[in-house]
C-alpha cells in the first residue's frame, strides 16, 4: 500500500536521522521533499500546502531542533498530522437507536458498491445482526443478479422487485420492520459518470427512507477523481461517510489522504480485496503507520 509515498518519506527521515543535530534549513529541506512526495502521491494541492504548513509550524521551533532526537520528533509530528488529516478518530457506522438502521450506499458504477454492500452485510452478520440487502439498481439486471449471488454466498436475504427504486427501498424498510431485520443495506444504481437523473433519484430515495447512513463508495485507484466525486455527492446528498475500495491495488494514496480534508466526510471503511471478508474499519492511526512504513 502506498509504496512510492512510503519509500520517499522513509528516505527523507533517513536523511534527517543521519544528520543528528538539525538546523532550520535541514527541516525546511525535508519539508520540501515531503511536499513533493505527497504531490506525486496525487494528494490534493491545497491539502498538501496546509499539511506542510502545519508541520513547519510545529517542527522548526527550538524545541524540536534542540531536542535530543530531532529527527524522531519530526517523524512524530508528521505522523500526528497524517492522523489529523484523515480525521483523527475512528468513524463508526451510525446505528439507529430503534432498528432497523437504514444504510444507503451510493457511488459510480465499478466503484465496488455492490461488493461493499455484501461485505458490510457479512461483517454485520458476524456481529450478530440481521441485515437485509436491497437491490435498488433496476436499470442493470446484472447488478440485481450480482447482489443475489453475493447474498446467497453469505446467506443474507436480498430484497428485489421491478419498478421504481424509491418504492423498492421503501418496501424493503417495511419488510425489515415486519421480519425483524435490523440493518437495511440499499445498493443504489450507479452510472459511469455523475448525472442529474441519478442524483435526483438518490435524493428521492434519501427523502423517502431517511437513511441513518449515506455512504459513498469510491475507488481509491482513481485518486483525485475520487475526491471530486466525493465532493459532488456530498454537496447533493449530504454524506455520512466514505468507503474507499481497492486499497489493495496499486494506489498512490491521494484519495485516502485528501477526501476527509477536502469534503469533511470521514472515511469509515476500506476495501482491501475482492473477497467478501475484505472490508476493514478505517483507523486513521493505523493508516498513518502504514504510510510511514
Ligand atoms: P459496482 O458497479 O460499484 O457495484 O462495483 P462492483 O461491486 O461490481 O465491483 C467492481 C469490481 O471491483 C469487481 O470486480 C469487484 O470484485 C472489485 N472490487 C470491489 N471492491 C474491491 C476491493 O476492495 N479490492 C479489489 N481488489 N477489488 C474490489
Amino acid at each position: 500500500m502506498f509504496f512510492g509515498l512510503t519509500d520517499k518519506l522513509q528516505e527523507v527521515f533517513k536523511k534527517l536521522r543521519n544528520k543528528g543535530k538539525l538546523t532550520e534549513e535541514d527541516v525546511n529541506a525535508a519539508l520540501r521533499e515531503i511536499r513533493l512526495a505527497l504531490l506525486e502521491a496525487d494528494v490534493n494541492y491545497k491539502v498538501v500546502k496546509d499539511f506542510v504548513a502545519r508541520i513547519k509550524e510545529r517542527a522548526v521551533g527550538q524545541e524540536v531542533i534542540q531536542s535530543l532526537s530531532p529527527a524522531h520528533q519530526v517523524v512524530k509530528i508528521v505522523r500526528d498530522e497524517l492522523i489529523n488529516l484523515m480525521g483523527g478518530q475512528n468513524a463508526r457506522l451510525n446505528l439507529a437507536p430503534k432498528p432497523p438502521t437504514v444504510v444507503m450506499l451510493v457511488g459510480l458504477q465499478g466503484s465496488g458498491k455492490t461488493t461493499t454492500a455484501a461485505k458490510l452485510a457479512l461483517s454485520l452478520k458476524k456481529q450478530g445482526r440481521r441485515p437485509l440487502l436491497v437491490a435498488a439498481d433496476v436499470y442493470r439486471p446484472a447488478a440485481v443478479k450480482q447482489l443475489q449471488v453475493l447474498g446467497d454466498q453469505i446467506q443474507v436475504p436480498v430484497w428485489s422487485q421491478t419498478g421504481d427504486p424509491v418504492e423498492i427501498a421503501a418496501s424493503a424498510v417495511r419488510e425489515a420492520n415486519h421480519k425483524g431485520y435490523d440493518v437495511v443495506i440499499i445498493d443504489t444504481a450507479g452510472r459511469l459518470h455523475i448525472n442529474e437523473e441519478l442524483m435526483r433519484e438518490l435524493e428521492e430515495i434519501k427523502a423517502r427512507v431517511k437513511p441513518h447512513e449515506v455512504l459513498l463508495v469510491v475507488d481509491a485507484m482513481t485518486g483525485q477523481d475520487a475526491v471530486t466525486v466525493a465532493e459532488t455527492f456530498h454537496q447533493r446528498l449530504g454524506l455520512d461517510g466514505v468507503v474507499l475500495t481497492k486499497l489493495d491495488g496499486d494506489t498512490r494514496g491521494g484519495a485516502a489522504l485528501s477526501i476527509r480534508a477536502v469534503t469533511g466526510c470521514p472515511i469509515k471503511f476500506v476495501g482491501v480485496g475482492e473477497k467478501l471478508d475484505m472490508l476493514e474499519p478505517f483507523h486513521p492511526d493505523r493508516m498513518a503507520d502504514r504510510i510511514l512504513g
Side-chain angles (χ1 to χ4, degrees), residues 108-115 119 146 246 248 271-274:
L108 295 183
Q109 202 171 306
S111 59
K113 189 160 36 62
T114 303
T115 312
K119 285 174 169 177
Q146 185 192 354
K246 309 186 197 180
D248 51 307
V272 291
E274 291 191 70

Side-chain angles (χ1 to χ4, degrees), residues 30-92:
L31 285 176
R32 279 195 295 275
E33 285 174 37
I34 291 173
R35 179 175 166 277
L36 269 181
L38 290 169
L39 288 174
E40 275 170 34
D42 201 21
V43 180
N44 173 282
Y45 178 79
K46 175 137 197 324
V47 171
V48 174
K49 197 168 161 231
D50 294 347
F51 179 79
V52 171
R54 275 197 303 278
I55 295 175
K56 185 167 180 160
E57 198 174 294
R58 292 180 59 187
V60 294
Q62 293 307 309
E63 246 168 87
V64 171
I65 289 172
Q66 290 177 355
S67 74
L68 287 176
S69 52
H72 180 83
Q73 293 287 332
V74 174
V75 178
K76 188 185 169 302
I77 292 169
V78 172
R79 181 177 183 273
D80 285 353
E81 292 299 334
L82 281 173
I83 294 171
N84 275 339
L85 197 57
M86 292 183 285
Q89 305 286 321
N90 299 343
R92 289 163 180 276

